[in-house]
Amino acid sequence: MAVKTIPFQVEMAGDTHIENITKRVSSAVADAGLIAGTVTVFVKHTTASVMIIEDEPGIRADTKAFWDRVVPADPDWQHNRRNSGEDNGHSHLRGQLQGPSVTVPFSERALLLGTWQQIVVVDFDTRARRRECILQIMGE
């Protein structure tokens, strides 16, 4: 079984910013020289996540509203209190709950996503930053 590892970066704005990376992942799979297998999309940060969503404006707004309600920003999070100048305790908790990766099967060099499924990176942090991501494509 062949394994291809492809690093890439995404510029993010923080505050539950969502960036669609489906085309980037799809192109990498098509160019990997493998016919069938899986691709794992991983973000190398504790305040960001990778998700599969129906990427439309309503879901983007609902996603932000959901996280703001479920894990609100709060200066009393222990991460903020114990680390001078930190204000992103909620960002770490959101990242823990959502997780850093998704795995998608592919066949005939094409992702096997459903009609409305899109791969996105979600940045929960409190400031803009560049996110490091990894694609690991395994197959034959």
Side-chain angles (χ1 to χ4, degrees), residues 116-131:
W116 305 111
Q117 290 182 314
Q118 299 284 297
I119 305 166
V120 299
V121 175
V122 182
D123 187 352
F124 297 120
D125 215 340
T126 57
R127 64 182 174 86
R129 58 193 310 163
R130 178 177 295 130
R131 297 304 190 157

Side-chain angles (χ1 to χ4, degrees), residues 6 35-36 68 120:
I6 303 166
I35 301 299
D68 288 346
V120 299

Side-chain angles (χ1 to χ4, degrees), residues 47-80:
T47 57
S49 293
V50 179
M51 299 191 301
I52 294 177
I53 66 171
E54 179 179 347
D55 188 15
E56 56 86 22
I59 289 296
R60 283 181 175 231
D62 291 342
T63 298
K64 178 168 177 26
F66 169 81
W67 286 112
D68 288 346
R69 288 178 197 157
V70 172
V71 185
D74 184 339
D76 285 331
W77 289 118
Q78 288 297 304
H79 175 75
N80 299 339

Side-chain angles (χ1 to χ4, degrees), residues 77-96:
W77 289 118
Q78 288 297 304
H79 175 75
N80 299 339
R81 298 182 110 214
R82 294 175 185 222
N83 298 283
S84 179
E86 291 288 343
D87 65 352
N88 66 351
H90 67 290
S91 307
H92 288 279
L93 295 170
R94 292 173 184 185
Q96 289 171 13

Side-chain angles (χ1 to χ4, degrees), residues 4-53:
K4 308 246 177 181
T5 303
I6 303 166
F8 67 97
Q9 299 177 338
V10 182
E11 296 295 330
M12 303 294 289
D15 195 31
T16 318
H17 171 208
I18 296 173
E19 187 68 28
N20 192 317
I21 60 168
T22 308
K23 288 181 183 173
R24 183 178 282 188
V25 176
S26 183
S27 292
V29 165
D31 294 343
L34 304 173
I35 301 299
T38 60
V39 57
T40 298
V41 185
F42 177 78
V43 62
K44 294 172 61 173
H45 301 274
T46 59
T47 57
S49 293
V50 179
M51 299 191 301
I52 294 177
I53 66 171

